[in-house]
Amino acid sequence: MTLPLSLNDRLARLPSPDARLKWLAKHRLLGPSEILVARGLIPADLGHLAQAVTEKSPRVSAAQISEERRVVTALGTDRCRALVLKGCLLAHTVYSAPNQRWRADLDILVDSQSVAQSREILDRLGYRPLTSVQGGTPIPQETWSIGDPSSGKRSNGNRSNNTRQDRRFVDLHWRLRSHPLLRDRLGFNEQWERAIALPQLASEARGQCLVHALLNAAMHWFDRLYAEPRPLGWLLDIDLLWRALDTGEEDCLVDLAQEREISCLVLACLQMCQRLFETPIKPGLLDRLECSAQNELAGGLLKVDKSPLRAYWFALKCEPGWGGRVKRLKASLMPPAQYMYERYPERSKFGLLGLYARRIYQRSKQ
């Protein structure tokens, strides 16, 4: 695996302070720029400019944090077994302030038996599903939104960094990961048993423990559906999670990675973190991960990582049985008609067949 350039090397290639600020924003590193300055990873003058930008235009507004609190409180009050994931979880644990970690949505993982209850709660809060029927590549989640439907539109399944503040999103998950190789590496019950309280968010809030959050972050880096470049802020998440672990938790992480046969993914992410953020990792721990990473099936994700088309076919091959593969292929390329009309409201002069042809062409170009 080719390791990325250091941050200073990357920034040195950019011609102006404005270009460097845009690069930091693109990689979701504006908010935590003070962390990077303190470590000597970016110049202090650039850090001052970054802080001035975030003070003028906060990455995460107070209204967004308040809405996250409202949703999590409602889930907890109704005794729905729900865990906060990803950006919101990290913002309230390993970052120094809840507005330091940029996020477009609130990710919630629920017990599969609590999905209907969760939908009822979101509906009562004023949220509506982004599409009335499920479609596209099968993923165990659905997106709910509240606010102006003309803002924050998705592009290839992702929300723009320019999402207006009058629209909010909740991604409701009932399995942790989507890729056939990763979808059952961590079960809900074991995550629930080791969940941590998030009192800064809400008295009822619970989230993944830091070990599970780091494993999820490593899987998330390689569990890709679309061709957009991944922000390096995702690796900063892993760096901060690692630094927050004590010795016992580090050993637990390595043991779990080995047991669930994802050592190769954790190893790759930690090595990138070392290069980019000077993450302090004992050589012995990396050696343990490397020893068990050699013959893991998940290593195939590293081999196809630079090619979205190869990654798609690899995921297709990993589906158990021909029935699962046909179902995935059909769902990806020819979703239900109602989904297509909602996903492509501009329609096509060739009707539904034209929309399918457009979708297949777009997928082939990734």
Side-chain angles (χ1 to χ4, degrees):
M1 183 188 68
T2 303
L3 294 178
L5 294 171
S6 68
L7 289 185
N8 267 321
D9 289 341
R10 286 170 176 260
L11 291 168
R13 296 184 173 192
L14 299 174
S16 67
D18 185 56
R20 291 164 194 161
L21 285 174
K22 288 180 179 178
W23 186 89
L24 289 175
K26 172 185 173 184
H27 287 283
R28 305 184 187 178
L29 296 173
L30 270 183
S33 59
E34 61 190 55
I35 296 173
L36 307 179
V37 171
R39 296 186 194 174
L41 299 175
I42 65 173
D45 57 346
L46 180 59
H48 293 319
L49 291 174
Q51 287 304 303
V53 171
T54 57
E55 288 172 8
K56 183 178 180 180
S57 177
R59 302 293 95 184
V60 180
S61 69
Q64 180 175 342
I65 295 170
S66 177
E67 181 62 18
E68 291 170 343
R69 183 172 293 112
R70 186 174 80 101
V71 172
V72 173
T73 298
L75 291 166
T77 300
D78 275 26
R79 298 191 177 183
C80 177
R81 296 213 304 168
L83 293 174
V84 179
L85 303 177
K86 297 167 64 176
C88 185
L89 169 70
L90 299 170
H92 290 277
T93 51
V94 296
Y95 284 86
S96 60
N99 63 355
Q100 199 176 38
R101 205 285 189 178
W102 185 91
R103 51 201 181 274
D105 48 36
L106 170 62
D107 287 279
I108 298 289
L109 175 69
V110 298
D111 183 0
S112 59
Q113 296 180 351
S114 301
V115 174
Q117 180 189 9
S118 305
R119 289 169 175 158
E120 290 174 3
I121 295 168
L122 289 173
D123 182 78
R124 190 167 69 240
L125 292 174
Y127 282 81
R128 297 294 178 264
L130 212 58
T131 57
S132 59
V133 297
Q134 287 282 89
T137 302
I139 55 175
Q141 71 182 68
E142 57 193 19
T143 299
W144 290 64
S145 68
I146 189 172
D148 180 4
S150 67
S151 64
K153 291 182 179 179
R154 283 199 164 194
S155 171
N156 290 330
N158 292 317
R159 283 174 289 284
S160 165
N161 285 11
N162 297 320
T163 299
R164 281 167 45 186
Q165 293 186 2
D166 55 358
R167 196 173 196 202
R168 308 289 177 212
F169 297 90
V170 172
D171 274 355
L172 184 65
H173 305 253
W174 50 92
R175 273 171 129 170
L176 192 60
R177 300 262 38 102
S178 302
H179 197 282
L181 275 182
L182 304 177
R183 61 170 66 120
D184 292 315
R185 301 296 168 144
L186 284 174
F188 181 85
N189 286 334
E190 65 178 308
Q191 293 176 77
W192 182 258
E193 289 169 4
R194 294 193 57 185
I196 59 175
L198 302 171
Q200 285 183 300
L201 176 58
S203 58
E204 301 87 352
R206 300 184 71 182
Q208 277 183 319
C209 73
L210 300 189
V211 170
H212 288 161
L214 200 155
L215 288 174
N216 185 37
M219 290 189 287
H220 179 55
W221 182 264
F222 292 101
D223 188 2
R224 303 179 68 193
L225 285 177
Y226 305 101
E228 284 89 350
R230 291 158 292 194
L232 296 181
W234 289 358
L235 292 175
L236 182 60
D237 293 341
I238 294 175
D239 165 270
L240 294 173
L241 281 164
W242 179 265
R243 290 171 187 263
L245 301 181
D246 60 32
T247 301
E249 289 170 325
E250 290 176 357
D251 289 332
C252 177
L253 174 80
V254 173
D255 290 342
L256 262 179
Q258 292 175 323
E259 179 186 321
R260 308 304 161 89
E261 299 184 349
I262 52 173
S263 299
C264 54
L265 307 186
V266 176
L267 174 65
C269 286
L270 289 178
Q271 288 175 328
M272 287 188 284
C273 286
Q274 275 191 318
R275 176 64 172 157
L276 284 166
F277 303 114
E278 299 180 358
T279 310
I281 306 170
K282 301 169 194 169
L285 287 174
L286 291 178
D287 291 341
R288 285 171 58 193
L289 287 168
E290 190 163 13
C291 183
S292 57
Q294 301 301 319
N295 300 311
E296 292 175 341
L297 289 177
L301 291 168
L302 279 71
K303 297 176 183 177
V304 302
D305 187 51
K306 299 299 182 183
S307 170
L309 186 59
R310 287 182 61 205
Y312 178 83
W313 285 110
F314 179 68
L316 194 64
K317 287 168 54 179
C318 291
E319 283 286 359
W322 281 104
R325 294 166 192 166
V326 171
K327 181 180 178 181
R328 185 183 185 94
L329 188 61
K330 181 180 178 182
S332 299
L333 301 181
M334 301 184 70
Q338 184 62 29
Y339 172 86
M340 293 295 292
Y341 292 140
E342 293 176 0
R343 181 67 180 80
Y344 302 95
E346 68 276 13
R347 303 296 178 97
S348 166
K349 65 180 180 180
F350 300 106
L352 184 60
L353 288 178
L355 293 181
Y356 284 142
R358 181 190 305 174
R359 184 177 182 86
I360 292 170
Y361 175 75
Q362 289 175 343
R363 292 297 182 268
S364 69
K365 296 295 287 183
Q366 290 182 356

